[in-house]
Coordinates of all heavy atoms in Angstrom, one line a residue:
D281 N 1.7 -5.2 18.8 CA 0.7 -4.8 17.9 C 0.9 -3.4 17.5 O 0.8 -2.5 18.3 CB -0.7 -5.0 18.6 CG -1.1 -6.4 18.8 OD1 -0.3 -7.3 18.4 OD2 -2.2 -6.6 19.3
E282 N 1.2 -3.1 16.2 CA 1.6 -1.8 15.8 C 1.1 -1.6 14.3 O 1.1 -2.5 13.5 CB 3.1 -1.5 15.9 CG 3.5 -1.5 17.4 CD 5.0 -1.2 17.5 OE1 5.8 -1.9 16.8 OE2 5.4 -0.3 18.3
T283 N 0.7 -0.3 14.1 CA 0.2 0.0 12.7 C 1.2 0.8 11.9 O 1.7 1.8 12.4 CB -1.1 0.9 12.8 OG1 -2.1 0.1 13.5 CG2 -1.6 1.3 11.4
W284 N 1.6 0.2 10.8 CA 2.5 0.9 9.8 C 1.6 1.4 8.7 O 0.5 1.0 8.5 CB 3.5 -0.2 9.3 CG 4.4 -0.7 10.2 CD1 4.2 -1.5 11.3 CD2 5.9 -0.5 10.2 NE1 5.3 -1.8 12.0 CE2 6.4 -1.2 11.4 CE3 6.7 0.2 9.4 CZ2 7.7 -1.1 11.7 CZ3 8.1 0.3 9.7 CH2 8.6 -0.4 10.9
H285 N 2.2 2.4 8.0 CA 1.4 3.0 6.8 C 2.3 2.7 5.6 O 3.5 3.0 5.6 CB 1.1 4.5 7.0 CG 0.1 4.7 8.0 ND1 0.3 4.6 9.4 CD2 -1.3 5.0 7.9 CE1 -0.8 4.9 10.0 NE2 -1.8 5.1 9.1
L286 N 1.6 2.2 4.6 CA 2.3 1.7 3.4 C 1.7 2.3 2.1 O 0.5 2.4 2.0 CB 2.3 0.2 3.3 CG 2.9 -0.6 4.5 CD1 2.7 -2.1 4.2 CD2 4.3 -0.3 4.8
Q287 N 2.5 2.6 1.1 CA 2.0 2.9 -0.2 C 2.8 2.1 -1.2 O 4.1 1.9 -1.1 CB 2.1 4.4 -0.5 CG 1.7 4.9 -1.9 CD 0.2 4.7 -2.2 OE1 -0.3 3.6 -2.4 NE2 -0.5 5.9 -2.2
F288 N 2.2 1.6 -2.3 CA 2.8 0.9 -3.3 C 2.5 1.6 -4.7 O 1.4 2.1 -4.9 CB 2.3 -0.5 -3.4 CG 2.5 -1.3 -2.2 CD1 1.6 -1.2 -1.2 CD2 3.5 -2.2 -2.1 CE1 1.7 -2.0 0.0 CE2 3.7 -3.0 -0.9 CZ 2.7 -2.9 0.1
A289 N 3.5 1.7 -5.6 CA 3.3 2.4 -6.8 C 4.0 1.7 -7.9 O 5.1 1.0 -7.7 CB 3.7 3.9 -6.8
R290 N 3.5 1.8 -9.2 CA 4.1 1.2 -10.3 C 4.1 2.2 -11.5 O 3.0 2.8 -11.7 CB 3.4 -0.1 -10.7 CG 3.8 -0.7 -12.1 CD 5.2 -1.3 -12.1 NE 5.4 -2.2 -13.2 CZ 5.9 -1.9 -14.3 NH1 6.3 -0.7 -14.6 NH2 6.1 -2.8 -15.3
S291 N 5.2 2.4 -12.1 CA 5.3 3.3 -13.3 C 5.7 2.5 -14.5 O 6.8 1.9 -14.5 CB 6.3 4.4 -13.0 OG 5.8 5.3 -12.0
W292 N 4.8 2.5 -15.5 CA 5.1 1.9 -16.8 C 5.7 3.0 -17.7 O 5.2 4.2 -17.6 CB 3.9 1.3 -17.4 CG 3.4 0.0 -16.9 CD1 3.8 -1.2 -17.3 CD2 2.5 -0.2 -15.8 NE1 3.2 -2.2 -16.5 CE2 2.4 -1.6 -15.6 CE3 1.8 0.6 -14.9 CZ2 1.6 -2.2 -14.6 CZ3 1.0 0.0 -13.9 CH2 0.9 -1.4 -13.8
Q293 N 6.6 2.7 -18.6 CA 7.1 3.7 -19.5 C 6.7 3.5 -20.9 O 6.8 4.5 -21.8 CB 8.7 3.7 -19.4 CG 9.2 4.0 -18.0 CD 8.9 5.4 -17.5 OE1 8.5 6.3 -18.3 NE2 8.9 5.6 -16.2
N294 N 6.1 2.4 -21.3 CA 5.7 2.1 -22.7 C 4.3 1.4 -22.7 O 4.3 0.2 -22.6 CB 6.7 1.3 -23.4 CG 8.0 2.0 -23.7 OD1 8.0 3.0 -24.4 ND2 9.1 1.5 -23.2
P295 N 3.2 2.2 -22.8 CA 3.1 3.6 -22.8 C 3.2 4.1 -21.3 O 3.1 3.3 -20.4 CB 1.8 3.9 -23.4 CG 1.0 2.7 -23.1 CD 1.9 1.6 -23.2
V296 N 3.4 5.4 -21.2 CA 3.6 6.0 -19.8 C 2.4 6.0 -19.0 O 1.3 6.4 -19.5 CB 4.2 7.4 -19.9 CG1 4.2 8.1 -18.5 CG2 5.5 7.5 -20.6
E297 N 2.5 5.4 -17.8 CA 1.3 5.4 -16.9 C 1.9 5.2 -15.4 O 2.7 4.4 -15.2 CB 0.3 4.3 -17.2 CG -0.9 4.4 -16.3 CD -1.9 3.2 -16.5 OE1 -1.5 2.2 -17.1 OE2 -3.0 3.4 -16.1
Q298 N 1.3 6.0 -14.5 CA 1.6 5.8 -13.1 C 0.4 5.3 -12.4 O -0.7 5.7 -12.6 CB 2.1 7.1 -12.4 CG 3.5 7.6 -12.7 CD 3.9 8.8 -11.9 OE1 3.2 9.8 -11.9 NE2 4.9 8.6 -11.1
C299 N 0.6 4.3 -11.5 CA -0.5 3.8 -10.7 C 0.0 3.6 -9.3 O 1.2 3.6 -8.9 CB -0.8 2.4 -11.3 SG -1.4 2.4 -12.9
S300 N -1.0 3.6 -8.4 CA -0.7 3.4 -7.0 C -1.8 2.5 -6.3 O -2.9 2.3 -6.9 CB -0.6 4.7 -6.2 OG -1.8 5.4 -6.3
Y301 N -1.4 2.0 -5.1 CA -2.4 1.2 -4.4 C -3.5 2.0 -3.8 O -4.7 1.7 -3.9 CB -1.6 0.4 -3.3 CG -2.5 -0.3 -2.3 CD1 -3.3 -1.4 -2.7 CD2 -2.7 0.1 -1.0 CE1 -4.1 -2.1 -1.9 CE2 -3.5 -0.5 -0.1 CZ -4.3 -1.6 -0.6 OH -5.1 -2.3 0.3
N302 N -3.2 3.1 -3.2 CA -4.2 4.1 -2.7 C -4.3 5.3 -3.6 O -3.3 5.7 -4.2 CB -3.9 4.6 -1.3 CG -4.3 3.6 -0.2 OD1 -4.8 2.5 -0.5 ND2 -4.2 4.0 1.0
V303 N -5.4 5.9 -3.7 CA -5.5 7.1 -4.5 C -4.6 8.2 -4.0 O -4.5 8.4 -2.8 CB -7.0 7.7 -4.4 CG1 -7.1 9.0 -5.2 CG2 -8.0 6.7 -5.0
A304 N -3.8 8.8 -4.9 CA -2.7 9.7 -4.4 C -2.3 10.6 -5.5 O -1.9 10.1 -6.6 CB -1.6 9.0 -3.8
A305 N -2.2 11.9 -5.3 CA -1.5 12.8 -6.2 C 0.0 12.8 -5.8 O 0.8 13.0 -6.7 CB -2.1 14.2 -6.1
V306 N 0.3 12.7 -4.5 CA 1.7 12.6 -4.0 C 1.8 11.3 -3.3 O 1.3 11.1 -2.2 CB 2.0 13.8 -3.1 CG1 3.4 13.7 -2.6 CG2 1.8 15.1 -3.8
F307 N 2.6 10.3 -3.9 CA 2.7 9.0 -3.3 C 3.3 9.0 -1.8 O 2.9 8.2 -1.0 CB 3.6 8.1 -4.1 CG 3.0 7.8 -5.5 CD1 3.8 7.5 -6.6 CD2 1.6 7.9 -5.7 CE1 3.3 7.3 -7.8 CE2 1.1 7.6 -7.0 CZ 2.0 7.3 -8.0
A308 N 4.2 10.0 -1.6 CA 4.9 10.0 -0.3 C 4.1 10.8 0.8 O 4.5 10.9 1.9 CB 6.3 10.7 -0.4
E309 N 2.9 11.3 0.4 CA 2.1 12.0 1.4 C 1.5 11.0 2.4 O 0.8 10.1 2.0 CB 1.0 12.8 0.7 CG 0.0 13.5 1.7 CD 0.7 14.5 2.6 OE1 1.6 15.2 2.1 OE2 0.5 14.5 3.8
P310 N 1.8 11.1 3.7 CA 1.4 10.2 4.7 C -0.1 9.9 4.7 O -0.6 8.8 4.9 CB 1.9 10.8 6.0 CG 3.0 11.6 5.6 CD 2.7 12.2 4.3
G311 N -0.9 11.0 4.5 CA -2.3 10.8 4.5 C -2.9 9.9 3.4 O -4.0 9.5 3.5
N312 N -2.1 9.7 2.4 CA -2.5 8.8 1.3 C -2.1 7.4 1.5 O -2.4 6.5 0.6 CB -1.9 9.3 0.0 CG -2.4 10.7 -0.4 OD1 -3.5 11.1 -0.1 ND2 -1.5 11.4 -1.1
M313 N -1.4 7.0 2.5 CA -0.9 5.7 2.7 C -2.0 4.8 3.4 O -2.9 5.3 4.1 CB 0.4 5.7 3.5 CG 1.5 6.4 2.8 SD 3.0 6.3 3.8 CE 4.1 7.2 2.7
N314 N -1.8 3.5 3.2 CA -2.7 2.5 3.8 C -2.2 2.0 5.1 O -1.1 1.6 5.2 CB -2.8 1.3 2.8 CG -3.9 0.4 3.2 OD1 -5.1 0.7 3.1 ND2 -3.5 -0.8 3.6
P315 N -3.1 2.0 6.2 CA -2.7 1.5 7.5 C -2.7 0.0 7.4 O -3.6 -0.6 6.9 CB -3.7 2.1 8.4 CG -4.9 2.3 7.6 CD -4.4 2.6 6.2
V316 N -1.6 -0.6 8.0 CA -1.6 -2.1 8.1 C -1.2 -2.4 9.5 O -0.1 -2.0 10.0 CB -0.5 -2.7 7.1 CG1 -0.4 -4.2 7.3 CG2 -0.9 -2.3 5.7
L317 N -2.0 -3.0 10.3 CA -1.8 -3.4 11.6 C -1.1 -4.8 11.7 O -1.7 -5.8 11.2 CB -3.1 -3.5 12.5 CG -3.0 -4.0 13.9 CD1 -2.0 -3.2 14.7 CD2 -4.4 -4.1 14.5
F318 N 0.1 -4.9 12.1 CA 0.8 -6.1 12.3 C 0.5 -6.6 13.8 O 0.7 -5.8 14.7 CB 2.3 -6.0 12.1 CG 2.6 -5.8 10.6 CD1 3.0 -4.5 10.1 CD2 2.6 -6.9 9.7 CE1 3.3 -4.4 8.8 CE2 2.9 -6.7 8.4 CZ 3.2 -5.4 7.9
T319 N 0.1 -7.8 13.9 CA -0.3 -8.4 15.2 C 0.0 -9.8 15.3 O 0.1 -10.5 14.3 CB -1.8 -8.1 15.5 OG1 -2.1 -8.6 16.7 CG2 -2.7 -8.7 14.4
K320 N 0.1 -10.4 16.5 CA 0.2 -11.8 16.7 C -1.1 -12.5 16.9 O -1.2 -13.7 17.0 CB 1.1 -12.0 18.0 CG 2.5 -11.6 17.8 CD 3.4 -11.9 19.0 CE 3.0 -11.1 20.2 NZ 3.9 -11.4 21.4
K321 N -2.2 -11.7 17.0 CA -3.5 -12.2 17.4 C -4.5 -12.6 16.3 O -5.5 -13.2 16.6 CB -4.2 -11.2 18.3 CG -3.4 -10.9 19.5 CD -4.0 -9.7 20.3 CE -3.2 -9.3 21.6 NZ -3.9 -8.3 22.3
T322 N -4.2 -12.2 15.1 CA -5.2 -12.5 14.0 C -5.1 -13.8 13.4 O -4.0 -14.3 13.2 CB -5.1 -11.4 13.0 OG1 -6.1 -11.5 12.0 CG2 -3.7 -11.4 12.2
P323 N -6.2 -14.5 13.1 CA -6.1 -15.7 12.3 C -5.7 -15.4 10.9 O -5.9 -14.3 10.4 CB -7.6 -16.3 12.4 CG -8.4 -15.0 12.6 CD -7.6 -14.1 13.4
S324 N -5.3 -16.4 10.2 CA -4.9 -16.3 8.8 C -6.0 -16.7 7.8 O -6.7 -17.7 8.1 CB -3.6 -17.1 8.5 OG -2.5 -16.6 9.2
A325 N -6.2 -15.9 6.8 CA -7.2 -16.2 5.8 C -6.7 -15.8 4.4 O -5.9 -14.8 4.4 CB -8.5 -15.6 6.1
A326 N -7.1 -16.4 3.3 CA -6.7 -16.0 2.0 C -7.7 -16.2 1.0 O -8.6 -17.1 1.1 CB -5.4 -16.8 1.6
F327 N -7.8 -15.3 0.0 CA -8.7 -15.5 -1.2 C -7.8 -15.9 -2.3 O -6.9 -15.2 -2.7 CB -9.4 -14.1 -1.4 CG -10.2 -14.1 -2.7 CD1 -11.4 -14.8 -2.8 CD2 -9.7 -13.4 -3.8 CE1 -12.1 -14.8 -3.9 CE2 -10.5 -13.4 -5.0 CZ -11.7 -14.1 -5.1
T328 N -8.1 -17.0 -2.9 CA -7.3 -17.6 -4.0 C -7.9 -17.5 -5.3 O -7.3 -17.9 -6.3 CB -7.0 -19.1 -3.7 OG1 -8.2 -19.8 -3.6 CG2 -6.2 -19.2 -2.4

């Protein structure tokens, strides 16, 4: 059971726009990343 920190971003060029999963001025700043705990113990659920 361990927590990783992830950030996702998308840059469009026409027209220009940058977006990210978490609010961030600097995408690589660790404090702006989202914690994700990977574990063997959690049940699976999905919103479709």
Side-chain angles (χ1 to χ4, degrees):
D281 291 359
E282 292 180 314
T283 299
W284 294 67
H285 287 78
L286 307 176
Q287 177 69 285
F288 302 82
R290 169 71 161 95
S291 291
W292 283 269
Q293 299 299 339
N294 290 299
V296 172
E297 183 183 21
Q298 283 188 303
C299 298
S300 60
Y301 171 67
N302 276 5
V303 177
V306 179
F307 296 153
E309 177 57 45
N312 296 330
M313 294 185 179
N314 188 69
V316 178
L317 172 62
F318 290 102
T319 177
K320 294 184 290 186
K321 300 177 182 178
T322 185
S324 296
F327 173 72
T328 57

